[in-house]
Amino acid sequence: MREILGRRRRLLSRRGDSGPELISAALTFATQWQWPVLPGVAADPQGRSRCGCPDPECTVPGAHPFDPGLLAATTDARMVRWWWSNRPAAPIVLATGGKAPCAVSLPALPAARALDALDRLGIRLGPVVAAPARWSILVKPYSMEQLGELLCAKDFVPGSLRFHGEGGYLALPPSRTGQGEVRWERAPLPGSASPWVPDVEAVVDAVVEALTRTGVSAPEM
């Protein structure tokens, strides 16, 4: 099994010429921002919309950890260089929570409308990651207890909201997954310091308010 996985990993690393850009981004996240990262499984080279993992029904093709697993995420520059030297096309996966940012995500179309509404309300946001199907707003780390209290206090929370907290993960730009390109909708400001991100309370309050006010439909996806 190990030999088969190794052969698949080599196949996955051959496609595309984004290696230098990916390794540079991964090193920035890990060493400058102290965000623990690891390589994602990548898409199946025989069918870009499928995942390279053994699960034929994978719902996040190419955008999740597999070998190594999530617990291997690190900020060590040597490990990051070794991973992407051997797998130059692998997506960059952030292990959310701990000292790294968490995220709140929702489907792309209502997310775009919600961001417009938040701008009109004067709500300050940090980086926003845009994948073809969903956008993710990065937030400060939070505990499950904190999130539970926040959601319980709401009369209504859109079912399409997802929360990437401790033990979760998120593909970061400039990755390419089975669903397409991952990019910055709101890019971090240039510089070596870790980007500022808002509290989860501010984001959830503002997103729920924006979706409610604008009548935006946010179907579960």
Side-chain angles (χ1 to χ4, degrees):
M1 183 66 174
R2 176 66 60 182
E3 182 181 353
I4 293 173
L5 291 177
R7 187 180 302 118
R8 171 172 284 180
R9 193 155 55 233
R10 288 192 295 273
L11 285 171
L12 295 177
S13 69
R14 287 175 187 168
R15 67 180 183 85
D17 58 357
S18 57
E21 187 180 11
L22 282 165
I23 194 170
S24 176
L27 285 168
T28 295
F29 300 144
T31 63
Q32 294 187 23
W33 299 355
Q34 292 297 293
W35 292 1
V37 298
L38 75 164
V41 66
D44 188 328
Q46 302 304 317
R48 296 283 182 89
S49 63
R50 298 195 304 268
C51 191
C53 76
D55 182 3
E57 305 298 327
C58 182
T59 58
V60 283
H64 66 90
F66 175 59
D67 181 17
L70 186 63
L71 292 179
T74 184
T75 58
D76 182 75
R78 292 173 299 176
M79 195 72 235
V80 170
R81 287 193 183 94
W82 187 86
W83 275 333
W84 272 274
S85 294
N86 286 278
R87 301 168 63 180
I92 303 169
V93 174
L94 168 70
T96 55
K99 295 183 179 180
C102 294
V104 177
S105 72
L106 65 162
L109 180 58
R113 294 174 178 171
L115 259 59
D116 288 341
L118 298 183
D119 287 341
R120 291 192 296 271
L121 292 170
I123 303 296
R124 181 187 179 192
L125 295 177
V128 177
V129 176
R134 299 183 70 86
W135 290 10
S136 302
I137 303 171
L138 299 187
V139 298
K140 292 179 181 176
Y142 57 78
S143 67
M144 292 305 296
E145 292 78 11
Q146 180 184 3
L147 179 63
E149 291 177 1
L150 172 62
L151 298 182
C152 285
K154 294 289 179 191
D155 294 328
F156 166 74
V157 176
S160 58
L161 285 183
R162 293 180 188 167
F163 300 90
H164 308 256
E166 184 76 30
Y169 58 87
L170 185 70
L172 294 176
S175 301
R176 187 164 188 85
T177 72
Q179 295 178 332
E181 179 186 5
V182 180
R183 60 179 178 81
W184 294 113
E185 174 63 25
R186 302 284 175 90
L189 295 176
S192 60
S194 181
W196 177 89
V197 292
D199 292 324
V200 66
E201 292 91 346
V203 168
V204 172
D205 287 346
V207 167
V208 171
E209 174 72 10
L211 294 177
T212 303
R213 277 192 177 190
T214 60
V216 171
S217 174
E220 295 194 29
M221 292 180 60

